[in-house]
Amino acid sequence: MRILLIFVMNLFLISCQDNKTREKTNEGIENIMKSVQNDSTQEPTKADLLLTEKNIMNFLLDYGKKNKENTVRLTTDYGTIDILLFENIKFHRANFIMLTKKKYFDNTQFYRVISNFVIQGGNSDDRITLKKRQAIGKYLLPNDHDKGYKHDRGMISMPSKNIENPYKKASPFEFFIVQQQQGAHHLDGDYTIFGKVIRGMDVVDTIATVPTDKSDWPLQNIFIREIKVLKSVSYTHLTLPTTPYV
């Protein structure tokens, strides 16, 4: 009888240990899955303030005062591109810095490439980019085209939303770089120029030559692996328009 009791007690202890082990294993798997999901999606945590047409201008005005950086570096599949953001295009500069710090641009693509014209980036065909946008908000930026800038080679501009947009307000998540040697001056007045390539036009030229489909999407995806903020630079040593900065 004593032997039977000992045998039953051992079975009970083994069962308890198995349950604890299973609980720890399941907990470990859940933690790993959460870690993998976080690392793979890199989705930002939802901000307290969801940006809208009503609050975006006040938000960017305040954000720009607190975040005065004006230089960023794009790391692409073909090399790096350094961009100077114009301080007098204050809403667009603040918006680009904000999206950079939120890591919105990381792993987006140059999705529209037209040789001897422009390369356009900031979007992709995956759901992660859409979720990032939804977490940030839904808004457009005003067309700020009267600061004396032209769509010269190397200028950074912001495309307009195509539908129901008579004032050509800009899509805040996307941008294009003028690659054409003579510039793309037929775009002047319709789109907001808010920066300039200061290093890496050879990378822009390389990207502009890749094969594309009929919609100008590269046959092989060209990723913007990362955009990061650099130490701000002075305009003093750069060739920029002579229009006074305001």
Side-chain angles (χ1 to χ4, degrees), residues 101-214:
K101 289 186 175 182
K102 285 181 175 290
K103 299 187 180 299
Y104 163 76
F105 293 112
D106 294 5
N107 295 313
T108 57
Q109 301 170 28
F110 283 105
Y111 64 94
R112 182 171 179 249
V113 171
I114 304 176
S115 181
N116 198 33
F117 184 38
V118 301
I119 64 172
Q120 188 162 317
N123 204 344
S124 75
D125 54 358
D126 62 42
R127 296 179 62 85
I128 295 173
T129 299
L130 176 60
K131 289 181 179 180
K132 285 182 178 181
R133 292 188 180 201
Q134 291 173 340
I136 294 168
K138 184 178 181 180
Y139 61 96
L140 298 174
L141 295 179
N143 192 336
D144 191 359
H145 59 80
D146 58 353
K147 296 297 195 298
Y149 301 119
K150 304 294 182 183
H151 282 86
D152 297 327
R153 172 174 163 82
M155 287 297 196
I156 316 301
S157 192
M158 195 168 284
S160 297
K161 181 173 180 272
N162 293 326
I163 303 173
E164 299 178 356
N165 187 19
Y167 298 105
K168 294 186 179 293
K169 289 187 175 182
S171 174
F173 299 104
E174 301 164 21
F175 63 94
F176 64 86
I177 304 174
V178 179
Q179 186 261 338
Q180 189 171 353
Q181 290 288 343
Q182 296 78 23
H185 298 128
H186 63 287
L187 303 178
D188 294 346
D190 288 336
Y191 306 96
T192 300
I193 300 165
F194 66 100
K196 176 181 180 177
V197 173
I198 56 176
R199 191 180 70 85
M201 275 306 294
D202 57 327
V203 177
V204 175
D205 289 335
T206 300
I207 293 174
T209 64
V210 303
T212 62
D213 62 18
K214 293 181 180 179

